[in-house]
Amino acid sequence: MHEYSKLIKQFERLIKSNQKELELVNVGTEENEIQLKIEIVIIKKEKRNLMALLKEYANVFAWSYTYILGLDSGIIIHRLPLIMNYKPTK
């Protein structure tokens, strides 16, 4: 039983180490907010550069489905091709 609790604690540490703290930021305007989540641990200079880049090219991204109404759904839908009765491997 001790071995299982040890493994569980290791697993919990692994999960916690992979979780990133995120900050909600607005890369749009006050009238038209576009909110994104970025890592809190990012360096301030990098954050300023990233925010400037996202604001400068905000019109390039499709921030919601209303921006892409005319597109063929075959292009915009993400699919994972899987083989039936085949066990996935890492």
Side-chain angles (χ1 to χ4, degrees):
M1 192 66 162
H2 173 69
E3 188 65 30
Y4 290 120
S5 61
K6 185 178 175 182
L7 289 172
I8 290 171
K9 286 180 183 179
Q10 287 176 343
F11 183 70
E12 287 172 347
R13 279 195 301 269
L14 178 65
I15 289 174
K16 190 168 186 162
S17 69
N18 287 330
Q19 292 176 342
K20 297 177 179 160
E21 293 187 46
L22 302 175
E23 173 185 1
L24 194 61
V25 295
N26 179 21
V27 295
T29 62
E30 287 185 24
E31 301 84 33
N32 184 23
E33 283 192 359
I34 301 172
Q35 294 187 336
L36 295 176
K37 293 179 182 177
I38 61 171
E39 277 191 69
I40 289 178
V41 296
I42 193 170
I43 298 170
K44 288 182 182 181
K45 183 179 178 183
E46 288 180 0
K47 181 179 175 182
R48 281 194 308 271
N49 291 341
L50 176 63
M51 297 290 293
L53 179 77
L54 290 170
K55 285 182 179 187
E56 182 179 351
Y57 293 100
N59 62 335
V60 175
F61 300 102
W63 299 104
S64 73
Y65 290 112
T66 59
Y67 288 93
I68 55 174
L69 288 177
L71 292 179
D72 178 12
S73 62
I75 297 171
I76 59 172
I77 294 174
H78 179 72
R79 292 189 177 97
L80 293 174
L82 301 175
I83 300 171
M84 296 297 290
N85 302 321
Y86 185 78
K87 184 178 177 181
T89 60
K90 291 185 178 182

